[in-house]
Amino acid sequence: YRARCPAEYWDYTPVLTVDYLVFQAGAWEDDPDELAAMLPVIRNVAAEAEAYAKQLFPIADIRSSSPRVVPLAGGQRPSPGCTQSCFGAAVDAEMKAQSNADIVVGFVAHDLRSDEERAQSWMGLTGGNTSSELVSGQGAVVSLVGPSAEFFPRYVNALVHDWGHVLDLEHLPAVDAEERARAMALRGQSTPIEYKGIEGFRLTPAGDAGWNKSSREGNEEGPNLAPLMFPGTMPAHEAFIANHHYRRIQALFERLNWSRNAGG
């Protein structure tokens, strides 16, 4: 349903399957107790991300696995200074070999050290990464997570943002690496950035309540409204999906001929 416009009946009701891997690498390899303490947090991030994705994407349900710890093959460990894209490419085949789900997610520790310190380590990752999209047969995502309560809603947003890339969505606004920092700085200014055309009617998972969020109304959560695919993480409640991105996901599922019983 899209406000102020006729709604077309859509016959597809896809079900996404997701598997979660937790790589026993970096800080989690050096400190097993830290990894054990992180598992409940990872489960919470995954659960919140699924509820968030079901509110934003044209899907009926998400069927997922419980996060499981797996070792990272020594031969796949990137060199010092490896970026998130480098790391995602290195482990893409390894992730897919351990799952046949539509999307396989590999969690790694979010390193909160300074940029200079992170540059000395192969775990100096600064964001998530989508290494494979669903049109290739299976999507693969590397996502960061850590113990910070402050970052928790951003971990949720980042994971669903990368699922958006899996579902063929590009950044909005589309910027190159140099412009990305400028876009982030602009969003941080006091003057709100308004993105025309965003409409979202979000339902609770139980379906017993909901609220509207658009470029014109329902923005009580804060002064900034940004699309899910904004090229930088934000708290999950501050992002809603753009109309044309919603339609693009519908078109993807139609091309794949997915229905409620054909997901995966």
Side-chain angles (χ1 to χ4, degrees):
Y1 178 78
R2 183 165 58 171
R4 306 182 189 87
C5 298
E8 295 182 2
Y9 175 74
W10 191 54
D11 194 40
Y12 291 87
T13 49
V15 174
L16 281 177
T17 56
V18 182
D19 272 352
Y20 299 108
L21 310 178
V22 181
F23 283 122
Q24 192 173 2
W28 294 344
E29 182 179 31
D30 300 333
D31 189 345
D33 291 338
E34 180 178 340
L35 174 57
M38 278 302 305
L39 289 178
V41 177
I42 292 171
R43 285 192 288 268
N44 287 339
V45 168
E48 291 290 330
E50 289 175 20
Y52 185 40
K54 284 187 282 189
Q55 290 169 337
L56 298 183
F57 296 154
I59 55 178
D61 199 6
I62 295 177
R63 297 172 185 160
S64 62
S65 68
S66 180
R68 64 184 188 275
V69 177
V70 297
L72 185 64
Q76 298 286 3
R77 176 173 291 205
S79 58
C82 186
T83 65
Q84 64 270 27
S85 296
C86 158
F87 180 77
V91 300
D92 184 274
E94 184 176 343
M95 293 169 65
K96 291 179 178 179
Q98 302 195 50
S99 171
N100 61 0
D102 302 319
I103 304 175
V104 55
V105 175
F107 286 108
V108 293
H110 184 193
D111 193 337
L112 296 174
R113 296 176 301 164
S114 68
D115 291 343
E116 294 76 14
E117 290 177 311
R118 285 203 307 266
Q120 305 305 314
S121 168
W122 71 272
M123 284 301 292
L125 307 179
T126 57
N129 178 72
T130 302
S131 56
S132 294
E133 298 181 7
L134 196 56
V135 291
S136 69
Q138 186 179 28
V141 167
V142 170
S143 195
L144 305 186
V145 69
S148 170
E150 176 186 359
F151 278 99
F152 184 90
R154 293 179 181 269
Y155 297 141
V156 173
N157 171 264
L159 180 54
V160 179
H161 172 104
D162 276 309
W163 289 352
H165 284 310
V166 168
L167 299 176
D168 199 31
L169 301 186
E170 75 285 350
H171 280 146
L172 185 66
V175 296
D176 59 24
E178 183 177 342
E179 291 178 316
R180 177 174 177 170
R182 185 171 64 87
M184 290 295 292
L186 283 172
R187 186 173 184 273
Q189 293 177 359
S190 59
T191 303
I193 296 176
E194 185 177 16
Y195 291 87
K196 299 290 186 180
I198 293 178
E199 289 283 351
F201 185 77
R202 296 182 63 179
L203 291 172
T204 60
D208 56 357
W211 60 97
N212 192 58
K213 177 95 167 184
S214 76
S215 57
R216 297 177 54 185
E217 61 188 17
N219 301 324
E220 293 85 355
E221 292 88 345
N224 289 323
L225 174 65
L228 170 68
M229 301 311 295
F230 187 83
T233 61
M234 66 197 78
H237 64 272
E238 293 183 8
F240 283 70
I241 195 162
N243 285 335
H244 72 283
H245 275 173
Y246 192 90
R247 300 299 189 194
R248 185 162 182 165
I249 295 175
Q250 287 181 318
L252 170 68
F253 288 136
E254 288 169 350
R255 293 200 310 271
L256 297 175
N257 292 318
W258 274 24
S259 69
R260 181 182 300 275
N261 297 319

